[in-house]
């Protein structure tokens, strides 16, 4: 067909200049939603609206997308805190905290990338990420120590990390906005103003692949398999662990594992049901023993801290591996997690009846995140009352 006079051929579609950034953002959102191993390059491409091969013009593989996305998350935090204008230490801190809250809320769909999916980075990239986070912590800790000269460098760093954990909790719920930014900034200020914290002594951790030993090593083979599976899932991630690895750690052949569990996913589900039952039991007992709502809230927080410190592998897997549960179990267990949160929300509102339910929910998620992050930072070491300190920080959040 001949083109009519004056018609012009349509201009060829131009590749957006920010396509690489779009791919990284889509990858980060999917990684946070479904886990790194649960996402393919083709699915990332579909989210951007391009073909799979088009992704490879920008990234050689999926891992490169993870690295780039992680750098983008940390880069946004560093950029937001790079040039504060305030002159006083208090003004500077307030400016930094507000900037961090804004980034956390605006990037909430990808902000959780650092917390769990960072496990899949190579040691080189983990070191790079750690150095960037240390820079961020240092930027906030410097004015904090100027404002509070009684704090040691380690104490200031611990409080700043607790504040960052509160900001990071925004990834665990769906709705967030300007009010959430203000509330999280208030939470961060509350944490930075708490009493000088206990900092556990530095100690070397056991080699990652050393099986559990000592007097608490289970006698039951089924129990031993669960303990070793949680340890390996925590350290390497669910997808990086094979049934053979779990059997070897428990001192048995892979074929023997199947006598107790039909497959690896069933091991994971059993651990989730166990964690859910124990958390529910501990929460119920804490409330039953309490004299009033304030006492109940204190006891519930303490019970959660005891659980996190006593079974750190189990709690880490419980929080990180939701997406790898079998479909038949995922909905039921997520429902149980929501009920646990709502139990805390009810207690918070009983103590603070004027607090809106939405705000109480934000505080609860922040407190839970602080327990696990601060606990992990100190390797869940009970030395010198570090568990007591963690509980005090969580309670401070709930009263912010």
């Amino acid at each position: 067909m001949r083109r009519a006079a004056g018609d012009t051929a349509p201009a060829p579609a131009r590749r957006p200049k920010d396509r690489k950034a779009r791919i990284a953002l889509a990858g980060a959102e999917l990684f946070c939603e479904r886990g790194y191993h649960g996402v393919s390059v083709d699915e990332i491409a579909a989210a951007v609206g391009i073909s799979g091969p088009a992704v490879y013009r920008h990234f050689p593989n999926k891992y490169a997308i993870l690295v780039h996305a992680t750098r983008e998350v940390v880069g946004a935090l560093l950029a937001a805190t790079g040039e504060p204008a305030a002159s006083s230490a208090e003004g500077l801190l307030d400016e930094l905290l507000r900037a961090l809250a804004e980034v956390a809320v605006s990037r909430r769909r990808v902000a959780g990338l650092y917390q769990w999916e960072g496990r899949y980075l190579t040691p080189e990239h983990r070191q790079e990420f750690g150095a960037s986070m240390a820079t961020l912590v240092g930027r906030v800790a410097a004015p904090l120590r100027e404002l509070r000269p009684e704090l040691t460098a380690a104490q200031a760093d611990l409080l700043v990390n607790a504040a960052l954990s509160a900001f990071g909790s925004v990834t665990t719920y769906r709705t967030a906005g300007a009010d959430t930014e203000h509330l999280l900034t208030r939470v961060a200020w509350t944490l930075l103003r708490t009493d000088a914290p206990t900092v556990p002594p530095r100690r070397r951790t056991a080699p990652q692949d050393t099986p559990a030993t000592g007097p608490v090593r289970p006698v039951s083979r089924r129990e031993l398999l669960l303990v070793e599976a949680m340890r390996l899932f925590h350290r390497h991630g669910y997808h990086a662990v094979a049934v053979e690895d779990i059997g070897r750690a428990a001192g048995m052949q892979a074929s023997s594992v199947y006598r107790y569990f039909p497959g690896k996913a069933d091991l994971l589900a059993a651990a989730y049901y166990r964690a859910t039952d124990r958390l529910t039991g501990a929460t119920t007992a804490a409330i039953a023993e309490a004299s009033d709502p304030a006492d109940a809230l204190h006891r519930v927080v303490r019970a959660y801290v005891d659980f996190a410190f006593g079974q750190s592998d189990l709690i880490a897997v419980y929080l990180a591996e939701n997406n790898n549960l079998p479909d038949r179990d995922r909905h039921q267990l997520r429902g149980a997690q929501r009920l646990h949160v709502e139990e805390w929300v009810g207690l918070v509102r009983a103590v603070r009846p004027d607090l809106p339910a939405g705000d109480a929910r934000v505080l609860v998620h922040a407190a839970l995140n602080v327990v696990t992050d601060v606990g992990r930072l100190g390797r869940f070491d009970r030395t010198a009352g570090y568990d007591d300190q963690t509980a005090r920080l969580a309670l401070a959040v709930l009263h912010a």
Side-chain angles (χ1 to χ4, degrees):
M1 180 177 176
R2 300 183 65 179
R3 191 176 304 277
D7 284 357
T8 58
R14 293 185 178 180
R15 186 181 307 163
K17 292 182 179 180
D18 64 343
R19 178 166 286 176
K20 184 172 184 177
R22 291 185 185 184
I23 294 170
L25 177 60
E29 290 179 351
L30 289 171
F31 295 154
C32 289
E33 180 185 343
R34 288 155 47 190
Y36 174 69
H37 285 285
V39 178
S40 69
V41 169
D42 284 342
E43 288 170 322
I44 296 172
V48 181
I50 59 177
S51 66
V55 172
Y56 294 108
R57 298 193 187 107
H58 303 275
F59 297 99
N61 50 43
K62 185 174 73 169
Y63 178 75
I65 299 175
L66 175 65
V67 172
H68 188 90
T70 305
R71 286 172 176 163
E72 287 282 298
V73 171
V74 182
L77 294 170
L78 292 174
T81 57
E83 298 180 358
S87 55
S88 68
E90 185 172 0
L92 180 57
L93 265 178
D94 192 61
E95 188 176 340
L96 291 170
L97 295 180
R98 290 179 185 279
L100 289 169
E102 182 181 358
V103 172
V105 171
S106 65
R107 294 182 174 242
R108 56 182 297 277
R109 294 183 63 184
V110 299
L113 195 65
Y114 81 94
Q115 192 170 22
W116 302 116
E117 302 313 308
R119 297 174 289 177
Y120 301 115
L121 295 174
T122 63
E124 175 189 359
H125 289 130
R126 279 201 301 270
Q127 185 176 9
E128 174 192 327
F129 172 75
S132 297
M133 289 301 295
T135 298
L136 179 64
V137 170
R139 287 181 180 178
V140 183
L144 175 61
R145 292 194 71 195
E146 184 179 344
L147 191 65
R148 300 186 60 187
E150 79 278 9
L151 295 177
T152 66
Q155 288 173 329
D157 285 355
L158 179 59
L159 292 180
V160 171
N161 274 288
L164 292 176
S165 176
F167 289 136
S169 68
V170 75
T171 65
T172 58
Y173 45 90
R174 293 184 177 180
T175 57
D179 290 342
T180 306
E181 289 181 28
H182 298 152
L183 183 54
L184 289 176
T185 301
R186 190 173 82 205
V187 168
W189 264 118
T190 299
L191 288 166
L192 296 184
R193 286 171 171 149
T194 56
D195 294 338
T198 299
V199 180
R202 287 185 173 272
R203 61 181 176 83
R204 292 186 62 186
T205 55
Q208 288 191 344
D209 294 318
T210 302
T213 58
V216 296
R217 187 174 172 87
V219 175
S220 160
R221 284 195 164 193
R222 187 180 190 279
E223 189 71 17
L224 181 58
L225 285 169
L226 274 172
V227 169
E228 293 299 344
M230 293 311 98
R231 183 183 61 81
L232 293 173
F233 292 161
H234 177 201
R235 283 155 178 73
H236 306 295
Y238 174 81
H239 286 276
V241 178
V243 170
E244 290 77 9
D245 299 324
I246 299 169
R248 189 181 308 112
M252 63 182 75
Q253 297 293 323
S255 57
S256 299
V257 176
Y258 295 110
R259 298 177 186 172
Y260 302 92
F261 298 96
K264 188 174 68 167
D266 299 280
L267 265 164
L268 181 64
Y272 265 82
Y273 283 113
R274 166 161 300 183
T276 299
D277 289 344
R278 290 182 178 178
L279 278 173
T280 301
T283 301
T284 301
I287 294 173
E289 296 167 0
S291 58
D292 55 47
D295 183 37
L297 186 61
H298 183 277
R299 287 175 180 269
V300 165
V301 170
R302 184 70 237 193
Y304 186 76
V305 170
D306 287 342
F307 180 73
F309 274 68
Q311 302 192 50
S312 56
D313 286 341
L314 180 57
I315 197 68
V317 172
Y318 178 77
L319 294 170
E321 300 291 357
N322 261 298
N323 295 314
N324 295 310
L325 285 167
D327 290 339
R328 64 182 182 275
D329 301 305
R330 187 182 301 115
H331 178 74
Q332 179 178 348
L333 288 165
R334 283 183 174 173
Q337 288 178 327
R338 285 192 292 271
L339 287 175
H340 181 242
V341 168
E342 291 307 310
E343 192 75 64
W344 282 46
V345 169
L347 288 175
V348 171
R349 297 195 71 205
V351 175
R352 305 177 61 185
D354 294 334
L355 188 70
D359 287 0
R361 201 165 288 112
V362 170
L363 296 181
V364 167
H365 282 290
L368 292 170
N369 221 43
V370 165
V371 170
T372 51
D373 281 353
V374 171
R376 187 170 55 225
L377 187 67
R379 300 186 180 90
F380 295 98
D381 190 346
R382 294 180 185 271
T383 302
Y386 189 62
D387 51 340
D388 295 331
Q389 173 62 49
T390 303
R392 286 195 295 273
L393 290 173
L395 282 167
V397 170
L398 297 176
H399 287 90

